[in-house]
Amino acid sequence: MRITVLGAGSWGTTVASVLTRRDHESLIWARSPDTADEINAKHTNERYLQGFPLPARLRATSDLAEAAGHAELLVVGVPTGAFRATLELVKPDLHPWIPVVSLSKGLERDSLLRMTEVIKEVLPGHPAAALTGPNLAKEIMAGMAAATVIATEDLTVATEIQRVFRRGLLRVYTNHDVIGCEVGGALKNVVAIATGIAQGLGVGDNTRAGVISRGLAELTTLAVAMGGEPSTLAGLAGMGDLVATCISPHSRNRHVGEQLGRGRGLDDILAEMGQVAEGVKTVHAAVQLADRHGLAMPITRTIHRVITGDITAERAYDGLLRTHPAGHESEPG
């Protein structure tokens, strides 16, 4: 199959590599011509995957029209802030009816839409799916075992995409609950910032475990309010992705939190990273969704106050010392 992956960041490049090793004719679109040239000539992407050789058969282009016209399956791994604009640009050259798979974990800031909803708006008639789960790019490139989920309402389409992605130690499951899968993938980044702050402050493993557990309850509450299924958030797209993102030193969102916990400014952290930490943007949309559904979501709201500069990271953890009694564990807070 001819597959195009839009976005030559760490995850997009990893997915393109996996697909190429599955003997698909994969083409990756890089915004930077220099990155495309490096992938083609040197079979590396040192900015995002330093030290990991790429398959020699993987081709790259910086020509978006060429990338779109190549695709029998389109995989979109650009940041959520550029997601809609990129789809608008590929639309004229895209073959009709081909499936479009989102790799991007976040929410559109102004519309509050999930990425598959953006796909349906911009590319009506194209089956929309999300690939999500605990998928740290460098571990997959290193050949370590991992599991992921293809989420789309049409399980026949999901099964076909599952067959395309399945390879070696990458185990691919299907799921019909797109809402639950996408909300889990988006909100875990916010909780990872909170967990990173705990790490940076040195408040202890018990505290971090508490934040992860209550964070899971929080994102489950929102997913269910939006129409998702609670069981989904206990699986790979929920708990699995949350744990990996909160504990891994490879996690960009955890890194942002850890640096905030050490007292650094957000602008400096992001400038130094040179990569997108989706939780920084997603938290704004998450708070608006919490308001829409009348949900407390205290962790999300606290991280929003940190990101907007309303409170310091250290001040954020004072909330853990609240003296009023906690309620039932099934309740928020």
Side-chain angles (χ1 to χ4, degrees), residues 116-127:
T116 58
E117 292 178 305
V118 177
I119 293 170
K120 291 175 182 178
E121 273 199 359
V122 180
L123 302 173
H126 290 266

Side-chain angles (χ1 to χ4, degrees), residues 281-304:
K281 296 183 178 181
T282 296
V283 71
H284 302 285
V287 167
Q288 292 180 66
L289 285 170
D291 290 340
R292 176 183 293 179
H293 293 284
L295 303 175
M297 298 188 67
I299 294 174
T300 299
R301 293 183 187 278
T302 299
I303 296 305
H304 182 252

